[in-house]
Amino acid sequence: MTAPANPITRMFDWWNGAFRADTFTPEAFAQHFTGDADFIVDGGLRGTGPESICAHFTRIRSTCETVELVTPVIATLSDDAQGFVQYRCTFTVNGKPGSEVCMAYARFRDGKIARFEVMGRPEAA
């Protein structure tokens, strides 16, 4: 029997489809993030709550032709309260492809992400 996906990997699957379809909305982010969720990238707060997290990713979408949070992820460890995930992110900006290896930590509350912290570094060629 396969364990159910944790809130991080469920969000990744949704996020990839929403990026391709250009369907980021605060309501859609609210299905995955609590109303007070902090989203932190490389130590900087990018948004708190679905509305500002949506605005952050809308800005990213406006500058990138493609972005994919590669699934299945490299590694994950989680329980009902928290999760860790190592994953690859591929992207195209101004016609140039790139990729990062990322490590993320999340706290969960009521099956949603209540805090998400990620660090990413360019992937070695």
Side-chain angles (χ1 to χ4, degrees):
M1 184 169 159
T2 303
N6 70 40
I8 301 169
T9 55
R10 279 196 310 267
M11 185 269 294
F12 281 11
D13 289 337
W14 163 79
W15 193 97
N16 285 330
F19 184 95
R20 286 189 295 274
D22 193 13
T23 56
F24 287 153
T25 66
E27 296 78 21
F29 276 92
Q31 294 177 22
H32 300 278
F33 292 90
T34 63
D36 61 348
D38 286 331
F39 196 93
I40 300 163
V41 178
D42 293 328
L45 181 65
R46 299 298 190 260
T48 297
E51 189 168 321
S52 63
I53 294 170
C54 180
H56 166 69
F57 284 115
T58 298
R59 284 189 299 276
I60 289 173
R61 193 175 191 298
S62 72
T63 62
C64 299
E65 290 100 60
T66 66
V67 176
E68 181 177 2
L69 307 175
V70 178
T71 57
V73 299
I74 297 166
T76 187
L77 175 66
S78 68
D79 59 23
D80 290 341
Q82 62 187 343
F84 301 86
V85 64
Q86 179 183 19
Y87 64 98
R88 291 180 67 236
C89 175
T90 61
F91 52 87
T92 306
V93 178
N94 297 324
K96 295 181 183 179
S99 63
E100 290 185 338
V101 175
C102 302
M103 292 293 299
Y105 165 73
R107 284 197 316 246
F108 308 135
R109 188 171 64 239
D110 300 325
K112 294 182 181 183
I113 299 168
R115 181 179 182 89
F116 192 87
E117 299 180 54
V118 63
M119 296 183 301
R121 297 297 178 261
E123 192 167 32

